[in-house]
Amino acid sequence: VAYGDGIFIVTCRYGDTCATSMDNGKTWSQHDIPNGEWWRIAYGDGVFVAVNLFYRTCATSMDNGKTWTQHDMPDDGWESVAYGDGVFVAVSCSFNTCATSTDNGVTWTQHDMPAGDWYSVAYGDGVFVVTCVYGDTCATSTDNGKTWSQHDIPNGDWWRIAYGDGGFVAVNLFFRTCATSMDNGTTW
């Protein structure tokens, strides 16, 4: 699920539909999206971008989810996408790579990342932070996904990460724990 421009959009993990809500989730409208496995969605600069897990594509919507355009991406396995500082960054757990787009998801450039099962990405305070679904590392980028620095995080299955109120919070998939960082992902 992503929020932007007064709209919530949720994508379907399997299939060709998404749903939008303009009243904070009270009612929903269904819309077509190109067929795929739409794993994550993000909003930035007036555009929603959804990444596809098993295909080399993303989908973009500039009209709040009513219509979608499919675009090519390098490789597949895109687990998560985030927006910050004019850039969309998508991460892959399959290839130790990320992809960046400065034109709202139309074209993508692939970049190497440290080894890891990168599963979730968030942006805050000028930094992209990604977490590993298995292990004890995270990675940070201060140059919009071009290069990455690896950092220690307590061992766990870091399923999701989010930024708010000056800090990052990662949640553990199998245990009732979270990890927090107030220094942009350097220490946890």
Side-chain angles (χ1 to χ4, degrees):
V1 65
Y3 177 82
D5 198 26
I7 305 284
F8 281 97
I9 297 183
V10 62
T11 53
C12 184
R13 183 171 172 190
Y14 302 105
D16 57 3
T17 60
C18 72
T20 61
S21 176
M22 296 188 298
D23 58 4
N24 292 321
K26 293 176 187 159
T27 60
W28 293 86
S29 300
Q30 188 169 321
H31 305 281
D32 293 333
I33 189 172
N35 192 44
E37 189 161 332
W38 303 108
W39 205 249
R40 301 285 175 266
I41 184 171
Y43 176 83
D45 197 26
V47 179
F48 286 91
V49 174
V51 292
N52 203 328
L53 181 63
F54 290 118
Y55 303 96
R56 294 175 169 224
T57 60
C58 75
T60 61
S61 176
M62 298 180 74
D63 61 1
N64 294 328
K66 294 178 185 141
T67 61
W68 293 84
T69 304
Q70 190 165 307
H71 306 281
D72 292 332
M73 289 188 74
D75 285 323
D76 57 12
W78 303 107
E79 298 281 355
S80 184
V81 62
Y83 178 84
D85 197 26
V87 178
F88 283 94
V89 173
V91 295
S92 170
C93 77
S94 303
F95 301 106
N96 298 323
T97 62
C98 76
T100 59
S101 176
T102 57
D103 60 3
N104 292 328
V106 176
T107 60
W108 295 83
T109 302
Q110 191 165 340
H111 305 279
D112 291 331
M113 293 185 67
D117 294 314
W118 306 115
Y119 206 75
S120 187
V121 60
Y123 177 85
D125 198 26
V127 179
F128 284 94
V129 179
V130 297
T131 53
C132 200
V133 73
Y134 305 112
D136 58 0
T137 62
C138 74
T140 60
S141 176
T142 57
D143 60 2
N144 293 329
K146 294 176 189 160
T147 61
W148 295 85
S149 299
Q150 202 160 355
H151 307 281
D152 293 334
I153 189 172
N155 194 40
D157 299 309
W158 302 110
W159 188 249
R160 297 286 179 272
I161 187 170
Y163 177 84
D165 199 24
F168 287 90
V169 176
V171 293
N172 200 314
L173 175 62
F174 295 112
F175 304 102
R176 293 182 209 178
T177 60
C178 69
T180 59
S181 175
M182 299 305 288
D183 60 2
N184 292 328
T186 303
T187 59
W188 294 84

